[in-house]
Amino acid sequence: MNQLYAQLGISREVYDYCHEVELGLKERFQKFDETAEYNQMKVLLAMQKNRVSEECFNGSSGYGYNDYGRDTLEKVYADTFHTQACLVRPQIACGTHALAIALFGNLRPGDELLAPAGKPYDTLEEVIGIRPSRGSLAEYGVTYRQVDLLEDGTFDYEGIKNAISEKTKLVAIQRSKGYQTRPSFSVAQIGELIAFVKKIKPDVICMVDNCYGEFVDTVEPSDVGADMMVGSLIKNPGGGLAPIGGYIAGTKECVENASFRMTCPGLGMEVGASLGVNRSFYQGFFLAPMVTKGALKGAVFAANVYEKLGFAVVPDGKEPRQDIIQAVTLGTPEGVIAFCKGIQAAAPVDSFVDPEPWDMPGYDSQVIMAAGAFVQGSSIELSADGPMKPPYAVYFQGGLTWEHAKLGVMMSVQKLYEKQLIQLDKTGDSNDCKESDRSGSRSIRNDCRSHSRKEWRGGDTH
Ligand SMILES: *Cc1c(COP(=O)(O)O)cnc(C)c1O
């Protein structure tokens, strides 16, 4: 083992340091194993119930009428998530597109969209029209209202009650914090919020942005009252194998409404050829519980390694996880660069590439990104990025296997070690961030959280 790690460039000191952290995570990891086992059976049952067979893997072309594999996969998703219906399509370009389809398909002029738990994901700002944008919901006469979380991060029930009116048609809740300053919500919390909203207005549609959340828990938002649940296939549910796509699971009516926006009125879900992706979609969904588990273990491992080294991490090493994103505040530009070089060096694709901070259009600072993925931009695969500005934090996520995520974290430590940016003693006392961490760990964390990824990625993705 040591020899192989040495060949990969991991020194004995780094290996030993990280190995000790790993030993302390056994119980935590066992919980992840149990969740994955449960979810694996859930997916398997849905596949068996729907009699998945070889012919499901044949793709259609052209209009895609009667695409048996596509239609069966949508039933598998619906049964796994306990919903009446689901769209799972390569025509859905990304998570933002899936969310936009769900919103446009279910809202009409004069309706109001309510965000009861703060601002949604950055890319939705232009979909909704929070930032004026061509073709936004606002341009079609759909108004928007937002109730922010209370200071302590809990729901502002009084504010939500006051915000619900005659016009309120759809409520949008985002499970993962994405790159915001709040904690991610548990499925149980989302259930409470939905129950509260429905008590005031039973016919309101509750939609949950489930990106990064699938299979992190044994229940999903659709199990606690969500009418619609939306996500991206190049995150958790694609299992790393889906090369594109998004899904919308929910009530028959909501999903059908979305389908008329995905294609067009009248055609809905009847058209949309699967081309050659069916097999990858099935196989990826089958593996998704395990892949998500690996990414979760990687995130918790990173949190604990860097916490022990004395750096501020969000979430911290012990917090329950609701998504697979890990933020680490390294405190120096050199630290951010070394971390990302380590992630890149651990990649199966483009490991020979040396990432550099770069001026990118639309960003207010240079950015460094590390990704050696099989699928472009896939964030279920091992990846990291950081803006070259204080507090010098990086966001780390993914890893198709726990073993690979672990190597990525170790390699990042290795690069910091080689640059003498850290010392590998037992406590982390001698490392840079310790003093500032002690004196103001909360503010560092918040700083670190407040660097929205889309804030510096915006120009890249859209
Ligand atoms: C990734 C993500 C999205 C959608 O992003 P895309 O880049 O368009 O796939 C939406 N909401 C959250 C919380 C996300 O993490």
Side-chain angles (χ1 to χ4, degrees), residues 37 93 318 399:
E37 185 179 349
K318 295 206 168 53

Side-chain angles (χ1 to χ4, degrees), residues 9 36 42 78 87 97 149 161 171 176 216 245 257 264 325 351 377 420:
K42 196 157 72 166
L87 287 172
H97 188 206
L149 296 170
K161 195 173 152 203
V171 163
S176 166
V216 169
N257 283 340
C264 65
I325 302 167
S351 64
Q420 300 182 340

